[in-house]
Amino acid sequence: MPLSQVYIGDQYRDTGWFGVFMTLLVAAFVLLNIRRARGGKDLYIRRIAGLNAIDEAIGRATEMGKPVLMVPGLSDTINAIAVQAVNIFAYVSRIAARFANPILLCCYNAAVYTYAQETIRDVYQSEGVADRYDPDSVRFVSDRQFAFAAGVSGLILREQTAATFFLGEFYAESLIFAETANSIGAIQVASSTETTQTPFFIAACDYVLIGDEFYAASAYLTRQPVLVGSLVGQDWSKLMIILMIILGTLLNTVQIQGKTTWERTKGVWSQIPERSVKQSDTFMSQLFKPQLEKVKVERPIDPNYVPEKGAGE
Amino acid sequence: MKGNLGEKLQSLPKPILYLILILATSIPLFFPTEVPNEPVESTKDFYATLMALPEGSKVLLMSDWTGSTRGESKGAFRSIFKILIRRKAKVAIYSAADPQAPRVAQDAINELNMERKRKNLPTFDRWNDWVNIGYFPNAEAAINGIANDLKGAFGGRKDFPPNSPPRDVFQSPVLQGVTKVEDFPLMLVITASKTSNFAVERVSGRTPLAFAVTGVMVPETQVFYQSKQIVGYCGGLKGVYDLEQLMESGVNFPDKATGKIKSDKLGTIEGFPDPDNKGQGTRYYPTLHYALALMIIMIILGNVGMFLAKRGDKS
Amino acid sequence: MIPLLQAQAPATSFWSEAFNSSELWTKLIITLVVGLVVMVGLLYAPIRARKPIIAFFTFISGAYWVLLYLWPKPIDRQPGEMPLNTVETVSFWLADSNNVVVSFTQILTGFLLGLGIFSLLKIHLTKITKGHKDAFFSIVLLVSMGLMIWFGYADWFDRLGERGAMLDNRDNWGFTQYGRDFLFEGLLQQMDAAMFSVIAFYILSAAYRAFRVRSVEATILLSAALLVLLSLMGAVSFVWDENVKSIANGNPFILNFQLTEVAQWIRNTFQTSSIRGIQFGVGLGALAMGLRLWLSLEKPGSGS
Amino acid sequence: MNYDLLRITAGVIATIGLYSVLWKENKFYRFFEHVFLGLAAGWTMVALWTETLKANWWDKMVGTPAETGSVATNGMYAYALLIPFGLMGYFVFSKKHNWISRIPIGIILGLWSGQQVQVWWNTYGPQIDATLKPILPTTWDSLIVPSTNGLTPEQLSQVQSQIYFSQAVNNFLFTITVVSVLSYFLFSFEVKNKAVKGINTMGRYLLMIGFGAIFGSTVMMRFTLLIDRMHFIWIEWLRDGVFPFLSGR
């Protein structure tokens, strides 16, 4: 076996490097653009309809003097989605704080609760109205999906919230929230990173952020260089994927028309009787699916190692 | 609410809608009917796979459903176990989606056993016929671990032999001599959540996979089925209904000519006629039609209303 | 059953000590103390040190996975083998610590759960003490919570003992088992199912209200939904397909117009692809945000 | 009244209680909402130890004794470090030191972020690959896939290896959908070009077909769950539970 391969590392063998390369490329795009943005280059973001609605929603709530309800999704633990949602809610509660408008932030997960509690308090402090902040306005409701749904819709109905924000990971319960809020005529801004739930939000909510408009939100609202830069980086990556799809498709289309006398199995080329090209023979699919040939590597055995036996053998 | 018929049609009060829906989903339940039905290929393959298991084979089952989806998943779970019990299979159950799942699965099996007791049938005993390996948080990592290092993943987990304190699951007859996931001739996944995707990512190609998924997941599962990453699946209530019919009449059984359910692809697969086969699927499926019909009618009504109203404005 | 297996105890290392050995407990306690000292030390951290400290911990924990991804993985590693060189020493270590690190998130989240419960208790106890008009319901909540905890643990402890397996058989049940079964199967599971099924009502009212042929988009949405709905009604699609088959008598082109085929076509061609299109974007968003969080480029609450 | 009937009756009452919110928010609903929340929180507390911490933390930290046939496992004392780090979260309520609560959060977020870097390609690479479908037919023998029943395996594989016009068209539609949807989500480019604008609108329309299909396929499940409840109330409880009981069987 080619010794050269042994020290490459399993994930880089054959075309394995491609995946790593792509990941690093995306990372590079993002970081580079963040740099550009920080360097004072002002970057363009197109208008995102759903996001202009946020101010309107809060304004409406303030007029009516009714609370704004926010749910940062049902993530199992705190992750970027929840953080992103809470960040948007920070923006919301800042405006709410200015107009002394009551807020309610319902958390599904204790870690998210901790983060939200801390973030929102900061918002009130930085607005210099720390006294207006009620720690109970950020609350942990339940971490069982439908208990949470029951609790939140109960809150919506009892508090008669004027504006509701559902941003983050939502699953089946999405429609429970949306319809309940709709039934009391609350103005709703919603978005789920779970694509399968978006149709229900579209059916029941006033404004829906589809797909990664959700991730674009904080950049769009705050125009923070870091966020804007990263957003541009993401766009570059999207363009790259689009190009890859178009070119790859064309390449495959051309290749698959032809015939081949070579076949590659387990990373080894071998001559075969002529046959028409299969999808798996194409350059692209070879690039995406590394075929690792079996390699034997001799290593010293650990002296105090006892070979594990199947129990009861 | 005043206004012409159009506006009325457009704005039926919600309580009335809800009432109609309740009626549409209740009344048919009292009048069990047979609906014409042709089991879909995926379910036929699913059934064929189960029936092809040699008696006494070991099956790895990931049970990721809880009470919230019992309407669909419990039916599938029960049908699958009825078949597995017939195949005298030995089942290792674990869960990766929800801490409740192991308990729910356990209670469901106990329920089956209680029914079997009443009929004086041999029960499907814990430890000897099935073990509950328990819940693994972080589904993706857990399934990865099980695929790569089953011993390590299940190591230290305990279950209950009859009348003795819990012992290492690898001691049970179910996991005798099992060291890697390939030692199971089949891995079943009964799930209402994403965990099926992880199973495909990590296990497909190592050992045959068969799914029982909820209706919502049918589209994504169909993709795996077409790409042959899973051997078959039973999707939603339709899947359960298909499965129950297959249990009743098999495929090309007794022979292709007279068989109720035919298939060009599959050979003869026996069925085992038994009133007990009729479960949730048979009970719920006819009713589903009324509900769906109601939905369609309501959508049409709304639109008709809109047009009438528009005309009303014009005139 | 092989006596050998029982006799031999696993080799201890710097990181692991034998079960219940005094070494284990001493090391354990030392670790705990060190940890607590660090925690107390943090109380005195100067203000400008705070951000770096948080950033440091975030970076370290993220670095593990990134390293695991980028560092050359050992090829054809068999159990019991020892690394050939320093590169492999690291990669072996990374691979071995994997199943340790994996559970960190759950464990930490688990510890934080106390905060959530605390928030619950705080809200409801204040309601009770302040004699809020909903105080009664708060009492209900706390009581049912207490009961579930009590029966849950009592039942769990019962099952640890000799009687573990017997308790699957209802004849051997005691009060605890009945209690746990009543709360868990009788109430919790049923309520879960009930709340989930409420969606059916909402789905109907939402469709009725929103599915109007107002705009092009709405019309497209509506017609796609209707087609799929029809295809789900086994009886309808059965009859439809039978008719198509009879018309087609074998003509594969006409066979494509079977309802099930059409619905399948819509799903495979448009549903899968549009979901994929969206997911690419979402995935990139997650990755980019992941980078920002890992490198602490983003200031917390940066929505403001 | 036997236990089963008691249990199922409780379940029915609870179900109706939760349903009552469909009419309007009322005390009955509020009662069961709070019971639900209470039980759920209680169960979480139970599962926290019995399902998560016991096996994943405690047993690993202190190890497990040898039993008949199973080897003892060593304790990894380093797990103890997680306690103080968990405790740090509880500073969130302190006015002065609340920043400390960000450390455990930071760790969790760090782990999550690192994993994103690790899994991104594993998740989306195959999907990109699966999108690269040939959009020209390889054969014109027939415009659509000929029926495959009654073919010999060779003929079958022959048919399957070919790409027919109809498939090519579908592949084309598929690719177009993915690309146009993806391009709809470009935020940092001002779209002046008519063609690109067109693609974006098309992206939105194709998206709607997808959403419609999702909606349709979801409905079946939701209704099934409702039917299950109705069966629970009318059949399991009323017909098979209450009536026999009243008729004193």
Side-chain angles (χ1 to χ4, degrees), chain A residues 13 121 125 164 177 187 208:
Chain A
R13 289 168 61 204
R121 180 196 278 114
Q125 270 162 358
T164 56
F177 297 151
I187 182 167
V208 181

Side-chain angles (χ1 to χ4, degrees), chain D residues 2-177:
Chain D
N2 63 354
Y3 170 69
D4 287 303
L5 185 52
L6 182 74
R7 184 178 88 167
I8 196 170
T9 312
V12 169
I13 297 173
T15 307
I16 297 173
L18 289 177
Y19 276 0
S20 70
V21 76
L22 290 166
W23 173 251
K24 66 192 236 301
E25 207 278 341
N26 59 69
K27 289 208 155 42
F28 194 37
Y29 171 78
R30 215 174 298 172
F31 178 81
F32 282 104
E33 173 199 335
H34 284 79
V35 173
F36 197 2
L37 286 170
L39 292 177
W43 174 256
T44 311
M45 295 291 276
V46 176
L48 172 66
W49 180 259
T50 61
E51 304 290 351
T52 307
L53 289 184
K54 173 76 165 63
N56 296 287
W57 177 65
W58 181 257
D59 286 353
K60 288 205 177 123
M61 182 167 72
V62 304
T64 52
E67 277 158 8
T68 42
S70 70
V71 196
T73 57
N74 289 332
M76 299 189 218
Y77 57 88
Y79 272 94
L81 266 183
L82 290 171
I83 297 176
F85 278 107
L87 287 180
M88 290 180 190
Y90 290 74
F91 280 94
V92 69
F93 294 111
S94 127
K95 288 257 172 304
K96 193 148 156 287
H97 301 295
N98 56 352
W99 70 277
I100 294 181
S101 68
R102 278 198 188 282
I103 292 177
I105 300 296
I107 294 176
I108 298 176
L109 282 176
L111 288 167
W112 185 87
S113 314
Q115 248 167 330
Q116 288 313 299
V117 178
Q118 192 203 16
V119 301
W120 180 73
W121 185 255
N122 300 352
T123 321
Y124 296 101
Q127 293 192 21
I128 298 177
D129 182 31
T131 312
L132 310 177
K133 301 175 169 190
I135 53 174
L136 280 183
T138 57
T139 171
W140 293 93
D141 306 347
S142 134
L143 289 187
I144 45 150
V145 189
S147 70
T148 50
N149 43 12
L151 285 184
T152 66
E154 305 78 54
Q155 292 167 310
L156 194 63
S157 64
Q158 177 57 25
V159 169
Q160 279 160 349
S161 70
Q162 295 291 0
I163 292 159
Y164 292 85
F165 178 73
S166 57
Q167 290 170 305
V169 171
N170 288 347
N171 292 350
F172 180 72
L173 287 174
F174 189 97
T175 316
I176 280 294
T177 316

